[in-house]
């Protein structure tokens, strides 16, 4: 990893050791629980008058002023203020050419699915009722795990950079398998087969779901399902026979469903690997470690807790730009992109005429046939069979490949 991403690797740290050190430091510190404890720690046990004077002079209420600007506390995903448009925020003459140009650019960008944005926070409702809290403060560590899409080589031979995907908060007592079950990926619980000849056929059920975390020269395999294969076996075999530089590395294997985060020793900030679905790779880093406190979520069932997600994770149709893609088209001479991501409407209307495949291409569907269909898509799907029985001798209005008659009737 350090050779591929040019990131220096720091000395691995033990999460269990960090927790023990936190607890040891806390035991050395005495936290006052009432005014008597504060007065005693200040050495004013018999100076009640002086203590009351100091207390009143340092009150936080003295910091308030009627003329202060109101500051709203920032909570990711939650805001009590309604966002204003560019026009509402204008305090200068709106007739200026520069202002008119700004308004035009802003209005054109609103709603565009192709605009890249910063990390958007997914709102997670944390229970505020103390009765729901089942974790004791300072009893565990909270570990931030950030996932990235790895960099790849594009057809133009330009190397892309890792892109942030999502971030989780994990307890030291969480198993690695609990985190794996919450990782978002289009490949989760799906098998993809080429279906361009019959776009209505369903993808077969996925009976096994192997995968592993590669952390500090150890493969943590998911063996909850006996049918899961050990993906790391072929990698370890290759390292033993084909490469001299890796023969001395003591690669180990463990089961992720039996390994807790507290048992790990990792290099903070250094990229690790999660791989599943054959060759679907996700990079991740252990970015931050803190002690569980009253300011963090104290509900065990919510962990691993999704903290943030990249808003650009969702891809939209390359043709209409309005709906999420359902089909992936490859090796098509009629598409500008390879692979091309298309919704059901654009895929069926552009690649099929009279219910028959136009030109050569490979197609894969990422969801069930009737999943994620709106009214418009349902109409096209239902009428696709109507054109399957059309007599081929009937002359078409337009020759050559092009949008199907389904689109014309709509």
């Amino acid at each position: 990893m350090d050779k591929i991403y040019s990131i220096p690797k720091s000395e691995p740290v033990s999460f269990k050791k960090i927790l023990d050190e936190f607890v040891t430091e806390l035991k050395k510190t005495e936290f006052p629980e009432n005014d008597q404890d504060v007065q005693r720690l200040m050495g004013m046990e018999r100076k009640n008058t002086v203590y009351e004077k100091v207390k009143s002079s340092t009150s936080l209420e003295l910091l308030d002023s009627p003329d202060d600007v109101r500051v709203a506390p920032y909570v990711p995903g939650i805001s009590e203020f309604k966002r204003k448009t560019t026009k509402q925020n204008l305090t200068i003459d709106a007739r200026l050419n520069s202002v008119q140009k700004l308004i035009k650019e802003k209005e054109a960008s609103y709603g565009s699915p192709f605009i890249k944005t910063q990390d958007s926070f997914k709102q997670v409702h944390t229970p505020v009722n103390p009765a729901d809290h089942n974790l004791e403060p300072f009893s565990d560590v909270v570990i931030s795990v950030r996932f990235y899409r790895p960099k790849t080589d594009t057809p133009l031979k330009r190397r892309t950079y890792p892109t942030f995907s999502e971030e989780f908060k994990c307890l030291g007592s969480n198993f690695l398998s609990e985190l794996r079950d919450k990782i978002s990926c289009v490949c989760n619980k799906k098998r993809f087969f080429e279906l361009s000849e019959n776009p209505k056929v369903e993808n077969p059920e996925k009976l096994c779901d192997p995968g592993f975390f590669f952390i500090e020269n150890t493969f943590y395999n998911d063996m909850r399902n006996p049918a899961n294969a050990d993906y790391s076996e072929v990698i370890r075999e290759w390292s033993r026979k084909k490469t001299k530089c890796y023969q001395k590395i003591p690669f180990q294997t463990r089961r992720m469903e039996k390994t807790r985060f507290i048992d790990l020793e990792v290099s903070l900030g250094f990229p690790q690997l999660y791989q599943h679905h054959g060759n679907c790779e996700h990079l991740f880093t252990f970015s931050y470690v803190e002690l569980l406190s009253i300011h963090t979520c104290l509900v065990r069932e919510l962990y691993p807790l999704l903290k943030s997600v990249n808003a650009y994770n969702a891809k939209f149709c390359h043709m209409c730009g309005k709906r999420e893609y359902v089909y992936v088209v490859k090796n098509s001479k009629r598409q500008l992109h390879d692979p091309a991501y298309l919704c059901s409407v654009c895929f069926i209307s552009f690649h099929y005429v009279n219910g028959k495949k136009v030109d050569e291409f490979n197609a894969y569907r990422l969801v069930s046939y009737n999943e994620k269909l709106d009214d418009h898509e349902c109409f096209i799907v239902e009428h696709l069979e109507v054109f399957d029985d059309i007599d081929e001798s009937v002359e078409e209005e337009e020759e050559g490949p092009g949008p199907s008659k389904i689109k014309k009737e709509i």
Side-chain angles (χ1 to χ4, degrees):
M1 285 292 186
D2 52 345
K3 294 181 180 180
I4 297 176
Y5 292 96
S6 302
I7 298 177
K9 185 176 181 181
S10 60
E11 190 69 22
V13 296
S14 170
F15 290 137
K16 182 174 176 53
K17 183 179 180 180
I18 291 177
L19 176 60
D20 293 339
E21 291 177 352
F22 276 148
V23 174
T24 302
E25 286 296 323
L26 285 175
K27 290 181 179 179
K28 296 179 181 179
T29 306
E30 182 180 357
F31 293 95
E33 297 181 357
N34 48 48
D35 282 356
Q36 288 74 17
D37 292 340
V38 175
Q39 188 174 353
R40 177 175 54 81
L41 292 174
M42 294 178 64
M44 298 183 178
E45 293 91 342
R46 300 180 181 181
K47 301 177 181 179
N48 296 334
T49 304
V50 178
Y51 173 74
E52 291 297 334
K53 184 177 180 180
V54 172
K55 180 180 176 181
S56 60
S57 62
T58 58
S59 174
L60 295 178
E61 296 179 357
L62 299 177
L63 300 177
D64 294 335
S65 173
D67 299 329
D68 288 341
V69 178
R70 183 185 178 192
V71 179
Y74 172 71
V75 180
I78 303 175
S79 177
E80 60 179 2
F81 297 108
K82 294 183 178 180
R83 295 184 179 272
K84 295 184 178 180
T85 63
T86 305
K87 292 182 179 179
Q88 293 173 327
N89 283 326
L90 288 178
T91 58
I92 57 179
D93 195 342
R95 293 173 296 177
L96 294 175
N97 292 335
S98 58
V99 176
Q100 289 296 327
K101 186 176 180 180
L102 174 63
I103 294 175
K104 186 176 180 180
E105 291 180 355
K106 288 289 186 180
E107 290 179 346
S109 65
Y110 290 154
S112 174
F114 301 105
I115 299 297
K116 289 188 176 181
T117 62
Q118 299 295 325
D119 302 346
S120 65
F121 290 83
K122 183 173 181 179
Q123 182 174 346
V124 179
H125 295 284
T126 303
V128 295
N129 186 4
D132 296 329
H133 295 173
N134 50 13
L135 290 172
E136 288 293 333
F138 315 129
S139 63
D140 207 341
V141 290
V142 180
I143 305 162
S144 296
V145 185
R146 293 175 61 89
F147 282 85
Y148 300 81
R149 292 190 293 269
K151 62 181 180 181
T152 57
D153 287 325
T154 66
L156 298 178
K157 303 301 181 182
R158 289 180 297 188
R159 186 175 291 272
T160 61
Y161 292 93
T163 306
F164 170 76
S165 177
E166 55 189 349
E167 181 178 10
F168 292 91
K169 292 281 192 178
C170 303
L171 293 175
S173 56
N174 280 134
F175 289 100
L176 296 182
S177 55
E178 294 181 81
L179 174 61
R180 191 205 175 188
D181 292 340
K182 291 194 174 184
I183 299 175
S184 301
C185 182
V186 71
C187 298
N188 286 345
K189 300 180 180 180
K190 296 181 179 67
R191 297 177 66 190
F192 307 118
F193 285 84
E194 208 284 322
L195 42 71
S196 60
E197 296 295 340
N198 183 10
K200 295 178 291 185
V201 67
E202 289 291 349
N203 287 328
E205 183 182 357
K206 194 172 185 179
L207 302 179
C208 60
D209 189 19
F212 66 79
F213 289 110
F214 181 60
I215 305 173
E216 300 295 334
N217 299 332
T218 301
F219 294 93
Y220 296 90
N221 296 292
D222 188 349
M223 305 303 293
R224 288 174 289 180
N225 186 342
N228 285 353
D230 183 358
Y231 279 164
S232 67
E233 182 177 0
V234 64
I235 301 176
R236 290 183 283 112
E237 188 67 20
W238 167 81
S239 67
R240 286 194 296 266
K241 294 183 178 180
K242 300 296 182 181
T243 56
K244 294 182 180 180
C245 59
Y246 293 125
Q247 289 178 354
K248 297 181 180 181
I249 300 179
F251 290 117
Q252 301 179 2
T253 59
R254 295 182 182 178
R255 302 181 63 164
M256 69 169 66
E257 67 271 18
K258 293 186 177 181
T259 305
R260 301 180 187 271
F261 283 92
I262 197 69
D263 301 325
L264 300 178
E265 293 187 7
V266 304
S267 176
L268 295 178
F270 189 77
Q272 315 290 345
L273 175 66
Y274 164 58
Q275 183 170 328
H276 68 128
H277 199 76
N279 61 348
C280 184
E281 298 180 350
H282 302 252
L283 293 179
F284 68 95
T285 63
F286 297 95
S287 60
Y288 189 74
V289 185
E290 60 182 331
L291 191 63
L292 183 69
S293 67
I294 58 175
H295 303 292
T296 54
C297 177
L298 296 176
V299 182
R300 174 65 174 82
E301 291 74 19
L302 295 181
Y303 288 94
L305 180 65
L306 179 61
K307 178 185 176 184
S308 60
V309 60
N310 193 325
Y312 200 63
N313 279 348
K315 287 184 178 291
F316 288 81
C317 176
H318 279 172
M319 295 186 70
C320 67
K322 296 179 180 180
R323 289 173 287 270
E324 292 186 21
Y325 73 94
V326 176
Y327 289 89
V328 178
V329 179
K330 300 185 69 176
N331 304 322
S332 173
K333 297 180 180 180
R334 306 174 70 235
Q335 290 289 340
L336 297 177
H337 306 277
D338 190 10
Y341 301 91
L342 305 178
C343 64
S344 297
V345 175
C346 296
F347 172 75
I348 295 175
S349 61
F350 187 74
H351 289 90
Y352 295 87
V353 175
N354 294 339
K356 294 186 177 180
K357 179 180 175 180
V358 176
D359 210 343
E360 291 298 324
F361 63 89
N362 298 326
Y364 306 86
R365 190 175 60 246
L366 304 183
V367 298
S368 176
Y369 185 61
N370 294 321
E371 189 177 348
K372 286 188 177 180
L373 296 181
D374 56 23
D375 295 338
H376 184 58
E377 292 175 303
C378 286
F379 179 83
I380 289 182
V381 170
E382 293 173 359
H383 287 72
L384 179 62
E385 299 179 358
V386 175
F387 297 98
D388 290 345
D389 301 329
I390 292 181
D391 189 354
E392 296 182 2
S393 62
V394 178
E395 294 185 358
E396 298 184 8
E397 297 180 7
E398 298 180 2
E399 296 181 357
S404 68
K405 292 183 179 181
I406 299 176
K407 191 172 184 179
K408 295 176 183 179
E409 292 196 1
I410 294 176

